[in-house]
Amino acid sequence: MSCSTGGCGTSSDMGFDPNDAQALEIQEKINNHPCYSEGAHQHYARIHVAVAPACNIQCNYCNRKYDCSNESRPGVTSGKLTPEEAVKKVLYIGGEIQQLSVVGIAGPGDALANPKKTFDTFRMLQEKSPDLKLCLSTNGLRIVDYIDEIEKYNVDHVTVTINTIDPTGEIGSQIYPWVHWNHKKVWGAEGAKLLLEKQLEGIKALTDRGILVKANSVLIPGVNDKDLPNVAKKLKEMNVFLHNIMPLLSSPEFGTKFGLDGVPSATDQEQMAAQEACGMDMKLMKHCRQCRADAVGLIGEDRGDEFGKEAFVSLSFEELEKKYNIKARAQKHEAIENWRTQLEAANERIKLETATKLELSSTGETKLVAITTAGEGMINMHFGSAQEFLVYEAGDKAIKFVMHRKLESSYCSGPENCNGTNPIEEIKVTLKDCDLLLTEKIGDCPMSELQSINLIADESYANMPVEKSVFEAVKTHFYTSKKEHELG
Ligand code: CLF
Ligand code: SF4
């Protein structure tokens, strides 16, 4: 099976030519970046340092009391750090979590509206933790002003949030009431046009210098959904590497303009439709979890609460560099790469990044498969503990990753927090369009509840590689009458 459709995964699903020097260079840059490489995200961790409190625009899906919603779930607040505290935190956590591969600045405001704090942090990190990739997220207004610093500090990955390319500013004016420029606020369509102009100039400046650009777009149904395919086309033309379509998360308690006006969140189905409409033009990131501005750990887990300031601020840089232990980290990364090679062989490259239903299935009909995982590319989490599901679309020819779906509460909250109830209704709504669930273990009760929505739960792929299991299970349950569960 060929995987030449490209994508943001491992070398095999990138489909790159090993003799192509530029493709190799890109592969090296993304290989252990958990956001730019889907294949890396179950193995490598990221940390965000919340050094950038100010912002220079207003988005209607953001309440400035909280983190920047261009890269975070709204309604969460991160503890702010000085650049020195931020670097101490990175060294401390880099020693504790050796899979840490990337440091990002993603708020709580805009990284480039706080240039001194952002670049002081990157300068120190470049000296003290040279094995980490540096990443920043911005609304794009000031990229051109800081392009030299971005390049100078080897910030190889920049995310720009771009929600519309409507040249009239009409769509933009529904998203951005104002943009701060030259010491004054520029309102409405004029502000939106200015922001778009600066974003496009900024993206060009970045790609001209070989910096990998990811674009985030917040899907706001009824506002920019129709324009997103145009955004995707434009991004592709501009050599943007990856497009991440994030669902609008909206609720009155977030205190955002959209939330207070009753604009609803984007649904999973609207998100899937937007991905379908944009994915033919651009490589899509589908594994984003809308992290907080002080997120720590693998994407999808947040270990930030484990590392309060008291753990690291009083330690000297000398002590922290010892704890960071760059040599031990290199050994850990080597072990991860060995594991990934084995996993890739076991999965037999049956995953495509973009594919039509006919490319996935000989009948043109596909199935949606949800799985539970604790990471490392395996089906290794009990149904009861799962706080999210990964959803794949699969046929008898190949599979593709579609999205993750988060739960407010897991089925089982553990002996300490158990209140005697098992919230199954949210899970039934979350998985209502899925055909099959693969999980490490599931009880009879939830299994029969899931049967009531025609969802088959199967635990016979426990501790098996995810991709191969999804492919085999779909063939077994829907394409053949005979059980063939043997995995290589
Ligand atoms: Fe952070 Fe963003 Fe860099 Fe990743 S997150 S600055 S590119 S290191 Fe990643 Fe988090 Fe999604 Fe962002 S999952 S919100 S895309
Ligand atoms: Fe909020 Fe980020 Fe928009 Fe600024 S750029 S208003 S912090 S979402």
Side-chain angles (χ1 to χ4, degrees):
M1 166 120 0
S2 145
C3 286
S4 57
T5 48
C8 60
T10 56
S11 58
S12 62
D13 51 17
M14 269 290 288
F16 74 89
D17 173 357
N19 297 317
D20 179 339
Q22 198 193 2
L24 257 173
E25 194 189 323
I26 291 177
Q27 178 57 23
E28 261 167 40
K29 280 186 186 169
I30 67 163
N31 184 52
N32 66 354
H33 194 306
C35 304
Y36 281 68
S37 159
E38 201 229 307
H41 94 278
Q42 302 225 27
H43 308 282
Y44 289 102
R46 50 73 179 106
I47 179 172
H48 285 172
V49 284
V51 295
C55 190
N56 44 17
I57 68 172
Q58 179 62 55
C59 305
N60 281 335
Y61 45 73
C62 178
N63 174 349
R64 298 298 324 289
K65 279 202 299 202
Y66 305 119
D67 288 358
C68 174
S69 303
N70 281 343
E71 185 88 358
S72 309
R73 285 184 297 283
V76 292
T77 318
S78 295
K80 291 176 200 117
L81 298 172
T82 64
E84 184 165 301
E85 288 169 345
V87 176
K88 286 188 167 188
K89 185 174 182 180
V90 171
L91 293 173
Y92 186 86
I93 291 177
E96 289 278 317
I97 305 178
Q98 291 178 329
Q99 309 94 300
L100 187 75
S101 61
V102 182
V103 185
I105 298 182
D110 187 79
L112 298 181
N114 301 264
K116 175 139 176 51
K117 290 178 179 143
T118 292
F119 293 112
D120 277 356
T121 307
F122 283 147
R123 179 179 45 72
M124 284 189 272
L125 285 172
Q126 206 188 22
E127 284 162 17
K128 298 193 184 303
S129 54
D131 61 335
L132 287 173
K133 291 187 187 311
L134 304 181
C135 195
L136 73 78
S137 171
T138 175
N139 57 41
L141 187 66
R142 303 294 303 274
I143 296 169
V144 170
D145 299 322
Y146 298 108
I147 187 72
D148 291 338
E149 281 84 350
I150 291 171
E151 190 175 34
K152 178 171 160 195
Y153 296 118
N154 288 327
V155 182
D156 257 347
H157 302 78
V158 175
T159 296
V160 184
T161 298
I162 178 161
N163 293 319
T164 169
I165 55 150
D166 166 25
T168 68
E170 203 275 320
I171 296 176
S173 68
Q174 296 175 54
I175 304 171
Y176 311 107
W178 54 259
V179 164
H180 198 259
W181 188 252
N182 281 342
H183 311 291
K184 59 175 201 273
K185 284 182 181 166
V186 185
W187 293 86
E190 284 314 304
K193 282 199 286 187
L194 172 70
L195 178 62
L196 175 62
E197 181 192 321
K198 296 293 160 195
Q199 288 170 332
L200 296 179
E201 281 173 20
I203 290 172
K204 181 164 186 323
L206 291 164
T207 54
D208 281 353
R209 296 192 190 205
I211 295 164
L212 282 186
V213 179
K214 171 168 81 59
N216 283 355
S217 298
V218 180
L219 166 65
I220 313 161
V223 175
N224 69 344
D225 49 340
K226 304 271 182 310
D227 197 35
L228 286 184
N230 305 326
V231 174
K233 274 197 191 80
K234 183 73 186 170
L235 295 174
K236 181 162 189 189
E237 258 170 56
M238 297 188 76
N239 293 322
V240 169
F241 182 71
L242 202 54
H243 191 193
N244 176 23
I245 298 168
M246 310 163 89
L248 172 72
L249 300 176
S250 183
S251 164
E253 58 266 26
F254 299 153
T256 63
K257 169 96 170 65
F258 283 149
L260 295 170
D261 286 355
V263 177
S265 297
T267 64
D268 290 335
Q269 287 65 33
E270 284 166 335
Q271 165 90 351
M272 282 162 64
Q275 288 178 344
E276 278 303 320
C278 298
M280 290 301 135
D281 288 307
M282 263 306 286
K283 279 187 277 188
L284 296 183
M285 175 184 187
K286 297 177 181 172
H287 59 284
C288 174
R289 304 297 202 279
Q290 289 168 274
C291 314
R292 15 185 327 156
D294 60 0
V296 173
L298 294 174
I299 291 182
E301 71 177 10
D302 197 349
R303 298 180 56 186
D305 291 346
E306 291 173 40
F307 307 102
K309 262 192 198 181
E310 62 291 345
F312 53 85
V313 278
S314 58
L315 299 178
S316 68
F317 275 114
E318 203 183 357
E319 288 169 310
L320 284 161
E321 280 173 65
K322 212 160 156 194
K323 179 169 180 65
Y324 186 72
N325 196 344
I326 202 160
K327 219 164 149 189
R329 286 173 42 78
Q331 284 165 357
K332 175 72 180 177
H333 287 214
E334 205 181 310
I336 292 173
E337 287 306 305
N338 288 337
W339 172 249
R340 286 178 77 185
T341 306
Q342 289 174 37
L343 194 62
E344 204 174 302
N347 278 323
E348 293 179 7
R349 303 181 180 187
I350 32 80
K351 192 180 74 168
L352 303 176
E353 290 304 316
T354 56
T356 61
K357 288 193 188 300
L358 270 175
E359 285 166 323
L360 296 175
S361 159
S362 53
T363 62
E365 251 190 64
T366 55
K367 300 289 176 186
L368 285 185
V369 185
I371 65 108
T372 59
T373 180
E376 301 195 332
M378 308 291 277
I379 295 175
N380 54 1
M381 177 167 273
H382 284 206
F383 171 79
S385 313
Q387 290 194 307
E388 65 171 22
F389 299 96
L390 304 191
V391 177
Y392 291 80
E393 184 178 6
D396 58 342
K397 287 158 78 175
I399 69 168
K400 73 174 178 184
F401 177 64
V402 177
M403 64 182 354
H404 78 284
R405 294 183 184 171
K406 240 183 161 45
L407 295 173
E408 288 296 322
S409 347
S410 55
Y411 182 74
C412 172
S413 44
E416 281 159 23
N417 302 318
C418 185
N419 62 7
T421 61
N422 293 114
I424 191 74
E425 289 312 316
E426 185 198 1
I427 298 175
K428 282 160 76 174
V429 171
T430 303
L431 299 181
K432 66 179 181 208
D433 53 349
C434 293
D435 303 285
L436 182 62
L437 168 72
L438 304 183
T439 185
E440 188 186 16
K441 191 118 197 81
I442 181 167
D444 292 342
C445 256
M447 197 184 286
S448 67
E449 285 279 358
L450 296 181
Q451 271 164 7
S452 73
I453 55 162
N454 295 321
L455 175 59
I456 302 166
D458 186 343
E459 50 186 28
S460 59
Y461 295 88
N463 298 309
M464 299 282 201
V466 171
E467 293 165 17
K468 175 84 171 163
S469 300
V470 168
F471 189 48
E472 290 298 323
V474 159
K475 286 196 294 181
T476 300
H477 284 281
F478 304 109
Y479 290 88
T480 62
S481 51
K482 196 165 146 272
K483 281 211 150 204
E484 297 162 349
H485 283 198
E486 301 307 311
L487 288 178

